[in-house]
Amino acid sequence: MGNVTSSVAARFAFFPPEPATYEVFREGGAEGRLCLSGLSPERNVAVHLVETKVGNRVVATFWRHPLARFTLLYSHGNAADLGQMLDLFFELRAHLRVNIMSYDYSGYGASTGKPSEFNTYYDIEAVYDCLKKEYGIKQEDLILYGQSVGSGPTLHLAARLQKLRGVVLHSAILSGIRVLYPVKLTFWFDIFKNIDKIRQVNCPVLVIHGTADDIVDWTHGKRLWELSKEKYDPLWIKGGGHCNLESYPQYIRHLRKFINAMEKLSVAKQTTQSSLPTSTITEVKHNKCLRFGKR
């Protein structure tokens, strides 16, 4: 059954750029540090090859900000790879003052393997493990960001992590089939069943969607927001399409407002915990992002 689902997904959900828009290489030979073409050293970006539980090697980049309070784990859309999104990550890091961990799905860019729904889940799990082991990032300091099809792996991980700081859903889908057909029921062969997983997310959820999105109708975002347990003020960008929301000034303003709210929430929780008895304390550029259609 899983193989059937994966084949359905591969047929209409994954469009990795061919050829890849970047290369990964080692500076100074086999023992040198990993580098990504198009990234100069002064941009302060670390490159990783992360192995998933099924043996694929996924390219991940960690964009460090010296004053970061939070880390954004960014899952991109289905018709882009990391090479096309470098300028966006550079701008987000600067304006939001966050670290950013971005990665390419299996079969995208220089990542090995083949694209599939379940591989995207293994990919984000492996990248999250890298964040914990290499950088000591805690759930409380992590915000998951899913753009378009990237909302699938984002909500997969968010439903499993109970102490996340927040989730951002950007032009997100209710499920794969619902992008193509307005079905009411969830079928077993559907992919990225976000409509079910959003109900298991226990942190603040920000939804961003364009009202003129002609690929994923804005009602997908509206329904995901309605089903969220902890709703943050959504951003409906009037006239915004599917792949151009970053060009609207309210996009970065609203994201910055959300980050600031998460910082205040974190401080408030720490203050509340510290006042309790010790025994009760417990631990912009447009980018290609999604296409649908049979190959």
Side-chain angles (χ1 to χ4, degrees):
M1 184 174 292
N3 289 336
V4 175
T5 306
S6 295
S7 66
V8 171
R11 216 169 65 227
F12 64 67
F14 298 104
F15 294 84
E18 296 178 0
T21 65
Y22 68 92
E23 295 180 350
V24 172
F25 61 94
R26 288 195 178 274
E27 186 178 64
E31 300 301 320
R33 69 182 184 92
L34 281 171
C35 299
L36 191 145
S37 59
L39 273 180
S40 54
E42 60 268 20
R43 287 211 167 182
N44 192 23
V45 180
V47 180
H48 299 272
L49 282 176
V50 181
E51 187 167 343
T52 73
K53 65 172 64 175
V54 293
N56 294 332
R57 302 185 76 192
V58 171
V59 180
T61 55
F62 186 74
W63 300 65
R64 187 188 297 277
H65 191 289
L67 302 178
R69 172 66 180 82
F70 298 123
T71 295
L72 212 65
L73 174 47
Y74 194 110
S75 300
H76 62 67
N78 76 342
D81 67 15
L82 290 179
Q84 295 171 313
M85 306 191 70
L86 301 181
D87 290 335
L88 174 64
F89 296 141
F90 183 74
E91 293 297 323
L92 287 178
R93 178 177 66 174
H95 287 288
L96 301 180
R97 293 186 175 186
V98 294
N99 302 319
I100 299 174
M101 177 65 106
S102 57
Y103 67 102
D104 259 340
Y105 311 121
S106 296
Y108 277 70
S111 295
T112 65
K114 294 183 179 181
S116 75
E117 177 193 13
F118 288 101
N119 272 344
T120 67
Y121 298 158
Y122 303 144
D123 297 340
I124 196 171
E125 289 172 4
V127 173
Y128 171 62
D129 286 342
C130 176
L131 274 176
K132 290 190 297 181
K133 294 174 183 176
E134 295 292 329
Y135 300 101
I137 302 299
K138 300 177 181 179
Q139 289 186 40
E140 297 90 333
D141 300 324
L142 184 63
I143 296 172
L144 302 186
Y145 189 117
Q147 180 192 17
S148 191
V149 160
S151 58
T154 291
L155 286 176
H156 164 78
L157 187 60
R160 294 171 172 231
L161 302 181
Q162 299 303 305
K163 297 182 180 180
L164 277 176
R165 176 57 56 224
V167 168
V168 180
L169 299 177
H170 171 164
S171 302
I173 66 174
L174 283 168
S175 72
I177 294 297
R178 285 177 173 84
V179 176
L180 302 174
Y181 309 105
V183 297
K184 301 296 183 183
L185 301 176
T186 299
F187 298 99
W188 67 266
F189 55 83
D190 202 354
I191 62 171
F192 299 126
K193 301 179 183 71
N194 294 339
I195 190 172
D196 299 326
K197 293 179 181 178
I198 188 66
R199 307 166 202 258
Q200 304 169 41
V201 176
N202 293 316
C203 63
V205 175
L206 164 62
V207 175
I208 302 173
H209 218 111
T211 62
D213 192 328
D214 60 354
I215 296 179
V216 179
D217 192 83
W218 80 280
T219 55
H220 284 246
K222 180 174 180 290
R223 185 61 178 148
L224 288 169
W225 181 76
E226 290 170 347
L227 292 171
S228 299
K229 292 180 182 179
E230 290 194 44
K231 301 173 178 62
Y232 186 82
D233 292 340
L235 176 60
W236 312 124
I237 298 183
K238 187 176 181 180
H242 192 70
C243 296
N244 65 347
L245 300 188
E246 300 92 341
S247 66
Y248 288 79
Q250 57 266 49
Y251 166 80
I252 199 69
R253 285 203 304 263
H254 205 79
L255 271 177
R256 188 184 295 120
K257 180 182 175 184
F258 177 69
I259 296 295
N260 290 339
M262 295 305 99
E263 289 178 346
K264 292 178 181 178
L265 179 63
S266 178
V267 171
K269 286 187 176 181
Q270 290 175 2
T271 302
T272 301
Q273 286 182 343
S274 64
S275 66
L276 295 173
T278 304
S279 60
T280 65
I281 297 177
T282 58
E283 291 296 310
V284 192
K285 286 186 177 183
H286 295 199
N287 59 81
K288 298 178 181 178
C289 46
L290 184 143
R291 290 165 48 196
F292 273 97
K294 295 181 180 177
R295 289 188 180 273

